[in-house]
């Protein structure tokens, strides 16, 4: 069995999600915790019910905090280095759900600085441009400016910087080196950058002038940042951030995570219908080499990205279960299954594209600087 590697910048190999939790020290969501969520939200989002969001730090604590009527907020972010693919949208869909169910404000960080530091080819204005372009996809989920606060790092540093310098003073070179694997040739921008990602976790407390912990829905590879944030929160007088972690979105090519270097591994929100169809029809599957074998032995939905996307984008449990059964029994062949997925995704993208274009030109209204 090939060993896997997971850092905020790299995911390689077939990920063992339980081993990863043990390594990071986060916990699996328990049925009791999910039941508590259901009690407060009135339902459980399919992405949690189906185990895609599967682990956390202090999710139970923040729910109890909520139960005591105390304020909290949501925080997530995006490294703007190119167009958004539908996999990126998945945690944001959950973010919107939490915001609606619990009436929460969302702090959304666009880390154009980090993308500039990280990619030798990236120009700064290009990264900032992507931040604005990607913000359209976030706004398109239906956020209003009173609920969504965008932080473009190179534009909205003012509220963040005083927090970041206090965070930076608590973090030693030894700590960040060990946490992120920095080396002697890492540029000092990247070395300082974690202070900014951590600072947003404490921003709602500063702005409201009372303890306001955040819940951070994100992929499990972001854990190192928030582990550090939790370690230093107390000493800075802030509540510890809570997290809820997802697994990775499978690439259409079958790998554990999509890669920006292969545009066919992902469906971008800006892809046209023809491109979306071509990508889905060419996707890797868990099917058999011939139709005859598939009818006889069935396919394997567990390793199949097509099934994975049905699971992520179909809100109807019964419909997803039927696809699983029809795959395993051989009643459905991959061609038909892919067409069904294409219909679902193309419906989602059609609405999304319209809302996305409506948001164009309105990004600045959502920026936190416009509201301070
Ligand atoms: Fe994947 Fe669908 Fe083929 Fe099953 S039938 S292997 S879920 S594409």
């Amino acid at each position: 069995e090939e060993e896997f590697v997971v850092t905020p910048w790299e995911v390689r190999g077939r990920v063992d999600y339980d081993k990863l939790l043990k390594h990071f020290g986060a916990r699996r969501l328990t049925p009791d915790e999910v039941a508590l969520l259901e009690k407060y939200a009135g339902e459980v989002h399919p992405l949690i019910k189906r185990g895609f969001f599967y682990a956390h730090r202090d999710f139970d604590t923040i729910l109890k905090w909520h139960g005591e009527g105390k304020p909290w907020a949501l925080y997530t972010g995006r490294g703007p280095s190119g167009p958004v693919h539908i996999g990126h949208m998945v945690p944001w869909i959950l973010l919107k759900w939490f915001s609606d169910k619990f009436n929460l404000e969302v702090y959304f960080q666009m880390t154009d600085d980090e993308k500039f530091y990280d990619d030798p080819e990236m120009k700064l204005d290009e990264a900032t441009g992507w931040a604005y372009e990607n913000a359209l996809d976030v706004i398109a989920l239906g956020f209003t400016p009173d609920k969504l606060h965008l932080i473009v790092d190179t534009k909205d540093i003012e509220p963040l910087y005083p927090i970041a310098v206090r965070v930076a003073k608590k973090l030693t070179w030894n700590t960040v080196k060990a946490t992120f694997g920095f080396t002697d040739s890492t540029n000092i921008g990247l070395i300082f950058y974690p202070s900014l990602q951590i600072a947003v976790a404490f921003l709602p407390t500063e702005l409201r002038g009372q303890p306001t912990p955040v819940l951070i829905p994100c992929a499990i590879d972001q854990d190192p940042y928030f582990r550090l944030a939790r370690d230093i929160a107390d000493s800075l007088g802030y509540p510890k951030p809570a997290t809820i972690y997802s697994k990775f979105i499978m690439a259409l090519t079958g790998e554990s995570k999509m890669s920006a270097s292969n545009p066919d591994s992902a469906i971008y929100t800006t892809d046209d219908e023809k491109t979306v169809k071509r990508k889905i029809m060419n996707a890797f599957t868990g099917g058999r080499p011939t139709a005859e074998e598939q009818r006889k032995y069935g396919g394997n939905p567990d390793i199949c990205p097509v099934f994975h996307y049905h699971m992520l984008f179909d809100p109807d449990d019964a419909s997803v279960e039927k696809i699983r059964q029809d795959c395993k029994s051989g009643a459905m062949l991959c061609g038909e299954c892919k067409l069904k997925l294409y219909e679902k995704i193309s419906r989602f993208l059609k609405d999304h594209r319209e809302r996305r274009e409506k948001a164009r030109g309105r990004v600045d209204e959502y920026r936190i600087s416009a509201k301070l």
Side-chain angles (χ1 to χ4, degrees):
E1 190 60 14
E2 180 197 2
E3 256 314 303
F4 60 92
V5 175
V6 174
T7 75
W9 297 279
E10 187 186 22
V11 177
R12 239 189 312 125
R14 200 154 277 287
V15 178
D16 179 330
Y17 285 104
D18 277 316
K19 238 194 207 168
L20 194 57
L21 281 192
K22 215 175 266 164
H23 174 67
F24 281 164
R27 287 203 294 112
R28 233 176 214 285
L29 276 168
T30 66
D32 280 355
E33 288 156 357
V34 176
L36 190 59
L37 172 64
E38 187 168 17
K39 180 182 150 192
Y40 291 131
E43 61 176 22
V44 177
H45 194 278
L47 290 168
I48 296 175
K49 219 181 337 179
R50 295 173 190 168
F52 183 67
F53 275 83
Y54 79 116
H56 71 101
R57 290 182 187 272
D58 269 347
F59 181 58
D60 51 337
T61 312
I62 211 161
L63 286 177
K64 281 174 201 141
W65 177 273
H66 172 83
E68 291 161 13
K70 295 176 184 162
W72 51 300
L74 295 163
Y75 164 29
T76 200
R78 150 97 183 135
S81 56
V84 160
H85 59 61
I86 60 172
H88 296 130
M89 304 280 311
V90 167
W92 306 347
I93 290 169
L94 188 71
L95 189 78
K96 180 69 169 55
W97 181 83
F98 270 111
S99 173
D100 290 346
K101 290 289 163 190
F102 292 90
N103 192 25
L104 298 172
E105 291 177 36
V106 174
Y107 295 79
F108 198 110
Q109 186 177 33
M110 290 288 180
T111 63
D112 56 341
D113 50 351
E114 185 231 348
K115 283 296 152 192
F116 172 66
Y117 294 140
D118 183 45
D119 178 350
E121 307 299 319
M122 180 70 75
K123 300 210 166 49
L124 183 55
D125 57 355
E126 202 186 329
T128 310
W130 280 120
Y132 271 76
E133 194 60 25
N134 294 172
L136 302 178
D137 289 291
V138 183
I139 296 169
L141 287 167
F143 284 110
T144 49
D146 62 323
K147 279 287 175 301
L148 175 66
H149 310 305
L150 284 176
I151 300 156
V152 181
D153 278 348
T154 60
K155 300 253 170 201
D156 302 303
I157 198 64
E158 205 177 317
L160 223 51
Y161 197 58
I163 308 174
V165 296
R166 276 185 284 131
V167 168
K169 199 172 176 178
K170 294 280 175 195
L171 297 175
T172 66
W173 164 234
N174 265 334
T175 304
V176 292
K177 186 167 66 170
T179 309
F180 298 104
F182 294 148
T183 66
D184 285 355
S185 60
T186 304
N187 67 61
I188 63 169
L190 268 184
I191 296 166
F192 173 75
Y193 167 74
S195 344
L196 274 181
Q197 183 156 334
I198 292 169
V200 182
F202 305 141
L203 183 60
T205 294
E206 283 294 334
L207 293 178
R208 297 181 65 115
Q210 63 174 308
T212 309
V214 292
L215 174 68
I216 306 165
C218 61
I220 180 81
D221 61 339
Q222 297 297 301
D223 183 65
Y225 287 105
F226 305 121
R227 208 159 58 213
L228 288 189
R230 291 168 52 82
D231 284 348
I232 61 173
D234 247 3
S235 69
L236 290 171
Y238 295 119
K240 281 186 169 50
T243 56
I244 181 164
Y245 292 131
S246 75
K247 299 174 182 173
F248 301 116
I249 310 266
M250 272 169 100
L252 289 173
T253 47
E255 276 103 39
S256 293
K257 200 187 174 194
M258 282 176 278
S259 97
S261 56
N262 178 4
D264 279 356
S265 71
I267 295 163
Y268 294 91
T269 61
T270 46
D271 282 346
D272 61 27
E273 297 273 311
K274 251 177 80 184
T275 308
V276 173
K277 190 162 188 178
R278 178 179 56 78
K279 286 181 176 179
I280 292 178
M281 297 317 281
N282 288 338
F284 172 84
T285 72
R288 303 274 174 178
T290 67
E292 197 179 303
E293 283 173 76
Q294 175 109 350
R295 289 227 163 75
K296 201 161 162 192
Y297 305 111
N300 182 357
D302 295 335
I303 61 158
C304 180
V306 177
F307 181 73
H308 188 68
Y309 281 85
H310 277 298
M311 184 277 290
L312 293 173
F313 284 93
D314 189 337
D316 181 355
D317 289 339
S319 144
V320 175
E321 198 40 44
K322 181 155 170 33
I323 292 166
R324 184 200 300 277
Q325 291 311 330
D326 287 352
C327 167
K328 284 168 96 170
S329 72
M332 179 169 58
L333 298 184
C334 296
E336 184 191 337
C337 188
K338 285 172 165 176
L339 274 179
K340 277 192 178 159
L341 179 65
Y342 168 66
E343 279 157 26
K344 266 173 220 173
I345 300 286
S346 108
R347 226 176 301 134
F348 169 80
L349 282 180
K350 190 170 170 289
D351 294 346
H352 183 75
R353 273 188 216 106
E354 279 168 24
R355 290 196 294 241
R356 195 177 182 280
E357 283 316 307
K358 269 195 206 141
R360 200 171 284 281
R362 295 192 51 209
V363 173
D364 285 335
E365 292 169 42
Y366 288 82
R367 276 178 43 215
I368 196 157
S369 302
K371 305 167 197 175
L372 295 176

